[in-house]
Amino acid sequence: MNEKIGKVLIIGFGPGSFDHITQRAREAIEECEVILGYTTYVDLIRGLLREEQTVIQAGMTEEVGRAQEAVRQAKKGKTVGVISSGDAGVYGMAGLVYEVLMEQGWTEKEGIGVEVIPGISAINSCASLLGAPIMHDSCTISLSDHLTPWELIAKRVEAAGQADFVIALYNPKSGRRTRQIEETQRILLKYRSPDTPVGLVKSAYRDRQTVIITDLAHMLDHEIGMLTTVIIGNNSTRLYDGKMITPRGYQRKYTLNAEKQKLAPHQRLREENEPWALHSVVPEQKPSSVSSWDLAEEALSRLHGTSPDPSPLADAGFVQEAIFEFAVSPGVANKKLSAQQMLVLAEIVGEEGSMEYTPHHQILVSVPTTNPEQITQKLTEAGLLVQPIGDVVTIKACDFCDGEKTDSIPYAERIQELLGGLNVPKEMKIGFNGCGMACYGAVTEDIGIVFRKGKFDLFLGAKSIGRNAHVGQPVAEGIEPAEIVGLLERIVQKYKEEGHPNERFHKFFKRIKEIEGFEHRDAPVQVLVDAVCGD
Ligand code: SAH
């Protein structure tokens, strides 16, 4: 190999600030004997240049000339840097350099060296300033029709709009090109609501950075220029505290308190929780008159939650089903199921659903349905207690000696009424036992209440599972019945408001050190011996 053969480094230097240039890009800029770039870009990285480096600046329209010059210099044995803002492979110089090389019949083995150094592209830098808008499938579309026919660009906008992509528009508008963005807005309004969140980021991570959050209807009321990237949300994108956020999970599950609920992370990948996934499409069920396009459209309208046009699948007899999950029990104190209740339950669960017997005085039911309200109604009419599952408060009361010790039952029922099913950071069990024997294990629940001699003892922060499980800390004895419900409400409310997502109550208590005047004490440390199975 000819030792004098040089190389071209195609360097993406990110949005503009030195903090967002990669280490390899910095080194590459340092390595170069010659740097070629559009004047504005050279100005942005000037602080990283050395005096002895030759800098060739050029106007925006001279890109091909720049690429040719870079190859020419490298052939002379020079190390040449071609700089692009963002990523050099995204509407940047990487493709052009390769095009010039391809024309010359270049190969990696024989020819000059080529290295493309990745950088943070505008879609990423701008998204970071808006919140998290590109969490789901997204695409970039350049609205510049200098090198691409408008017809093709419009087709891509149309397709992206239809397929519910989050869209990042590059080169949205210039002094002369003003109609493209108007046309884009018009097309997207066919598929997205006028209040779809839109972010306009100008000069991300540069001196004149501006960030505007608006919506699809009003986006043109703001300044958009050559230094702006426009990020248009999909049908799930939401505004929260001035940020644009696109949730990742499709919200397609019924629960009791909300018609739709996100799947908990560990539930996401279970097949039965993904009725919309490819594995759920049984080929022979597809009516032949329904094309894959119809299926795609149906999937999209399901996602939107609205289907303005008559749905081809509904016409063909398809009705939207989702999994309804809940817990069922005969009551707070009552532990006995009647044969009639079992029959009602069996009929509801049928062949398709499932029932799971749990250690928490509840049966977990999971059943595909189009009508969760009807199921709740039938079970309630049969005298069953239907409760939500997941990160909610569950009351686990004893059977009050088969209903003989009735004094404290009204308190258990009141607590169930006020707190049962309340959403909290992590599942929370309140154990309620009707006498000092506490034989239903109240003291091993997150909160334990034991009724004794007409008053209540309170235990907080048990760790009910794991090899370092421990009982709750006894924090008070002899609490007056008139006070217990209010006290519990305040404790649960504080946990609900101040607990971190997924933080169990015992961890929360330890972190905040004190709750309602009760101070946290560490549970005694136990010596753990590695348990080999069978030991
Ligand atoms: N290679 C670049 C894109 C060049 S095309 C990259 O990967 O980011 C030029 C377009 O990029 C601009 O019209 C604008 O839409 C977008 N852009 C580049 N840098 C930007 C920045 N710092 N802030 C906002 N948009 C930017």
Side-chain angles (χ1 to χ4, degrees), residues 291-306:
S291 68
S292 53
W293 182 258
D294 289 336
L295 276 168
E297 282 204 319
E298 174 74 2
L300 286 172
S301 65
R302 285 182 181 204
L303 246 143
H304 303 173
T306 54

Side-chain angles (χ1 to χ4, degrees), residues 147-166:
L147 301 169
T148 312
W150 173 252
E151 204 182 310
L152 180 60
I153 298 172
K155 207 166 159 182
R156 288 180 179 160
V157 172
E158 187 100 30
Q162 218 165 34
D164 204 34
F165 280 102
V166 175

Side-chain angles (χ1 to χ4, degrees), residues 15 85-87 90-91 121-122 126 170-172 201 203-204 206 226-229:
S85 75
D87 183 276
V90 179
Y91 315 117
S121 187
C126 296
Y170 283 60
N171 301 308
V201 182
S203 301
R206 297 185 195 171
M226 272 312 279
L227 286 170
T228 310
T229 296

